[in-house]
């Protein structure tokens, strides 16, 4: 079961990389950095993303949740 | 835009205040939904602190989107200062025991500082350069969103199956990464990636 679980997450990670590469080939300006620049140009969304990022650190390092 | 919003804008102009964004657009609404959904999952997990964090974050995002936030400072944070501060924080985290009170305090301080920096937009690398939504970026964002949602659904399925059949072995992402983070090299690698990711995110943004 661990192979299936891990495989699905690895497939998602690979799909992100492939999508970034394939779309970047057709649209030179469409980089992951440019996408995040656009996404985080909104103050409210920047706040949401940073809280979500912070929680990952809390979850794995600090919280008694694992 | 209704008459009430027109009147608010007129009052803002009268008092010399900049006209704030008064509507919660679809992208912000989607993020509010994401925050609330994760908060609900935390309730199911009986992680009350985590749930409160997400619900407060959702409320804060709505308030910021509606323009109800204090005036931001104009001072900018250069990359050397941001990276230096992040490096010191990462070094401190590496010496703190996992799940200890010291680690919790340190991570909370990092969170508070990061939220303040994110809200002020003081660390954005190119704040005056327009961040355009080109067809290519729209396509990339849609593809990434679909893949991330698929990953989150898989994570949720693993989590729910773990609740329904606790005797079986279901592996959420946390279960898979936990053994690696438990080791010292794994923990140092996680801290490095997490902190570097935070610095990278704080530098993203641009003019609309």
């Amino acid at each position: 079961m661990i192979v299936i679980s891990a495989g699905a997450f690895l497939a998602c990670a690979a799909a992100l990389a492939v999508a970034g590469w394939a779309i970047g080939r057709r649209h030179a300006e469409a980089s992951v950095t440019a996408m995040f620049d656009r996404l985080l140009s909104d103050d409210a969304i920047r706040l949401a993303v940073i809280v979500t990022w912070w929680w990952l650190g809390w979850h794995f390092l600090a919280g008694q949740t694992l | 835009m209704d008459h009430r919003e027109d009147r608010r804008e007129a009052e803002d102009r009268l008092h010399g205040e900049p006209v704030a964004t008064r509507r919660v657009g679809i992208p912000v609404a989607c993020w509010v939904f994401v925050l609330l959904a994760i908060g609900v999952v935390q309730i199911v997990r009986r992680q009350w602190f985590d749930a409160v964090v997400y619900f407060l974050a959702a409320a804060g995002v709505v308030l910021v989107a509606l323009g109800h936030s204090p005036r931001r400072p104009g001072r900018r944070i250069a990359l050397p200062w941001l990276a230096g501060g992040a490096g010191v924080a990462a070094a401190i985290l590496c010496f703190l025991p996992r799940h200890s009170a010291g680690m919790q305090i340190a991570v909370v301080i990092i969170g508070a500082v990061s939220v303040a920096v994110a809200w002020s937009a003081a660390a954005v690398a190119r704040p005056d350069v327009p961040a355009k939504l080109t067809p290519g970026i729209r396509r990339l964002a849609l593809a990434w969103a679909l893949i991330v949602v698929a990953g989150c659904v898989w994570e949720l399925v693993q989590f729910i199956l773990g609740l329904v059949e606790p005797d079986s072995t279901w592996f959420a992402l946390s279960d898979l990464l936990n053994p690696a983070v438990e080791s010292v090299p794994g923990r140092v690698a996680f801290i490095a990636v997490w902190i570097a990711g935070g610095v990278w995110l704080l530098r993203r943004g641009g003019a609309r």
Side-chain angles (χ1 to χ4, degrees):
Chain A
M1 195 62 212
I2 191 170
V3 174
I4 297 174
S5 297
F9 288 118
L10 288 174
C12 287
L16 290 176
V18 169
W21 173 75
I23 294 172
R25 276 188 69 189
R26 292 190 63 179
H27 304 272
E29 84 293 350
S31 65
V32 173
T33 300
M35 178 180 68
F36 272 88
D37 277 338
R38 171 66 187 185
L39 177 69
L40 301 189
S41 62
D42 185 299
D43 291 341
I45 293 177
R46 187 166 55 247
L47 192 61
V49 171
I50 286 296
V51 169
T52 306
W53 159 82
W54 171 83
W55 181 81
L56 290 175
W58 170 264
H59 181 58
F60 282 103
L61 296 174
Q64 302 282 357
T65 58
L66 285 172
Chain B
M1 186 178 290
D2 60 20
H3 295 298
R4 195 182 306 166
E5 285 177 311
D6 282 333
R7 196 166 63 239
R8 277 196 200 137
E9 285 196 8
E11 286 173 359
D12 281 346
R13 290 194 189 96
L14 190 66
H15 293 100
E17 295 288 333
V19 178
T21 305
R22 296 294 186 191
R23 289 185 304 152
V24 176
I26 292 175
V28 173
C30 289
W31 274 99
V32 170
F33 172 78
V34 167
L35 295 172
L36 292 176
I38 301 175
V40 169
V41 171
Q42 302 311 314
I43 290 177
V44 176
R45 295 177 66 232
R46 300 184 181 183
Q47 298 300 326
W48 313 117
F49 173 79
D50 302 48
V52 168
V53 165
Y54 275 108
F55 289 137
L56 283 178
V61 166
V62 171
L63 288 176
V64 169
L66 293 174
H68 297 293
S69 61
R71 190 179 295 276
R72 299 192 298 203
R75 184 171 296 183
R76 304 212 41 75
I77 302 174
L79 178 59
W81 287 104
L82 182 66
V88 170
I92 292 172
L93 292 182
C94 287
F95 287 100
L96 293 173
R98 198 178 177 206
H99 304 309
S100 66
M103 179 67 89
Q104 292 176 343
I105 292 170
V107 173
V108 166
I109 291 172
I110 289 170
V113 172
S114 299
V115 166
V117 173
W119 164 75
S120 70
V124 173
R126 298 181 301 171
D128 301 324
V129 176
K132 296 177 182 173
L133 183 59
T134 64
I137 291 177
R138 189 192 300 272
R139 187 170 296 182
L140 180 61
L142 183 62
W144 269 50
L146 290 174
I147 296 166
V148 169
V149 167
C152 290
V153 169
W154 179 251
E155 168 82 358
L156 195 60
V157 167
Q158 300 294 301
F159 172 66
I160 292 172
L161 288 175
L163 290 179
V164 175
E165 298 181 21
D167 295 334
S168 302
T169 49
W170 306 103
F171 296 93
L173 192 57
S174 305
D175 303 318
L176 293 169
L177 291 180
N178 191 38
V181 182
E182 191 62 36
S183 70
V184 172
R187 187 158 65 250
V188 170
F190 177 85
I191 290 169
V193 170
W194 180 59
I195 291 290
V199 169
W200 187 79
L201 286 173
L202 287 172
R203 302 222 348 122
R204 301 279 62 82
R208 284 218 170 190

